[in-house]
Amino acid sequence: MGTDSVFVLLYVDDIVITSSNDELISFFKDMLHQQFHIKDLGPKKYFLGIEVARSSLGLSLCQRKYVLEILEDSGLSGARPSNMPMEQNLKLTDTGGSLLSDPSSHRRLVGQLIYLTVTRPDIAYTVNILSQFMHQPRQPHLDVAHRLLRYLKATVGLGLYYSTTSSLELRAYCDSDWARCLMTRLSTIGYCIFIGNCSISWKTKKQHTISRSSAKAEYRAMAVTTCEITWLSYLFQDIGLSIPKPVLLFCNNQAVLHIATNPIFYGCTKHIKIDCHLVREKIHKGLIHPSKILTVSQVADLFTKSLGHDQYHFLISKLDVRNLNAPT
């Protein structure tokens, strides 16, 4: 078949096969038929709860049916919709409010929401917060979960869109809050990586160690994002895609940018010296190029804090997350 390749995505007994050569796909399926009893479902429309819509303009991924099942399972199908997943600047603790009489249903709900973040980066931060109180969920945690469900009802058709005309240029955004957790004073990192205008990787996660300054917290976020960019570059190389380098890595903290490009270690950076070496190595090799961005345009803010209505929806539009069921 020349230089053509076939790619197989396998999860238990569900398989997705793709290639730039239709003959190669047919050949591979015939090989499988000879060894196993398989059922060919044709072009992909539904896979592991993810609905797939394809056209000449692009590919859309959403979990509309899954969202409706969550709403029905929780008894909130008739609830009043909300335009925000979480109240701005809300801070939850593990001691405030009464304990839930039946924590198992809440844990089940949060588990369902975690899987929903596969195609819904807009709820990643809220779900991350809820998942931190699974051991002893309380009424305020359930209230946040119910508000998130009301937001999902208002945005049931929201999903990812990948345009066929998108470029192959990677760009990344990284951010961190500072000691926002009231119980541990740990910071939360967040990043989002795009290929062209399409978001392909995102994360919100609490840091493992306490940062004594906002610069250190954000530098750790830059280091984590750099590791993800490195992995993606290897992945694209393996599948035969050439990604333009360096990858622009946007950060809104001027001190972090100074540390990343300054070859001299100061005393204030000794606690993040390994991260400094990692980031500077990738800069030296030409993989990344840290760049300044205004806070108002920092997409990674979505993954580190609960924002106000206007800023939240402005940044959501930058993710190219679309309502696939909206009238055209």
Side-chain angles (χ1 to χ4, degrees), residues 6 17-30:
V6 61
I17 305 171
T18 185
S19 174
S20 59
N21 189 319
D22 292 337
E23 293 182 4
L24 187 56
I25 294 178
S26 299
F27 175 75
F28 184 78
K29 289 193 293 186
D30 290 340

Side-chain angles (χ1 to χ4, degrees), residues 86 89 125 175-178 180 188 204 252 295 300-307 312:
M86 188 175 181
N89 295 325
Y125 176 75
D175 190 34
S176 175
D177 67 356
W178 181 38
R180 187 176 293 268
T188 298
T204 175
N252 61 341
T295 300
D301 263 359
L302 285 167
F303 305 96
T304 61
K305 57 185 71 71
S306 54
L307 303 171
Y312 175 81

Side-chain angles (χ1 to χ4, degrees), residues 118-174:
V118 171
T119 62
R120 295 292 300 265
D122 56 315
I123 66 170
Y125 176 75
T126 306
V127 174
N128 173 265
I129 294 297
L130 289 173
S131 65
Q132 297 176 26
F133 304 99
M134 299 279 273
H135 58 297
Q136 281 189 330
R138 296 174 178 269
Q139 188 59 45
H141 311 145
L142 182 61
D143 293 339
V144 172
H146 284 173
R147 173 160 183 166
L148 177 54
L149 290 176
R150 294 193 292 111
Y151 169 77
L152 291 176
K153 182 181 179 182
T155 59
V156 65
L158 215 61
L160 298 171
Y161 178 75
Y162 298 98
S163 173
T164 56
T165 60
S166 177
S167 70
L168 295 179
E169 183 179 5
L170 283 181
R171 72 180 192 279
Y173 300 81
C174 65

Side-chain angles (χ1 to χ4, degrees), residues 69-84:
E69 290 174 352
I70 294 176
L71 291 172
E72 184 177 358
D73 185 55
S74 60
L76 292 179
S77 298
R80 178 172 56 88
S82 172
N83 58 8
M84 289 290 292

Side-chain angles (χ1 to χ4, degrees), residues 227-286:
C227 291
E228 182 71 5
I229 294 172
T230 303
W231 179 82
L232 286 172
S233 67
Y234 290 146
L235 175 63
F236 288 130
Q237 182 179 344
D238 288 342
I239 63 178
L241 289 179
S242 178
I243 301 300
K245 297 177 183 178
V247 176
L248 292 180
L249 177 52
F250 293 102
C251 175
N252 61 341
N253 189 304
Q254 190 64 53
V256 170
L257 296 173
H258 177 73
I259 294 172
T261 56
N262 194 323
I264 301 176
F265 288 105
Y266 294 98
C268 63
T269 66
K270 63 184 179 182
H271 301 295
I272 55 171
K273 186 171 288 189
I274 294 178
D275 290 332
C276 290
H277 279 298
L278 169 69
V279 173
R280 290 173 184 170
E281 177 190 35
K282 300 306 179 182
I283 294 175
H284 179 71
K285 290 184 176 181

Side-chain angles (χ1 to χ4, degrees), residues 298-319:
Q298 176 56 278
V299 179
D301 263 359
L302 285 167
F303 305 96
T304 61
K305 57 185 71 71
S306 54
L307 303 171
H309 176 274
D310 293 342
Q311 181 65 4
Y312 175 81
H313 286 279
F314 170 71
L315 294 179
I316 285 297
S317 67
K318 300 295 184 181
L319 289 177

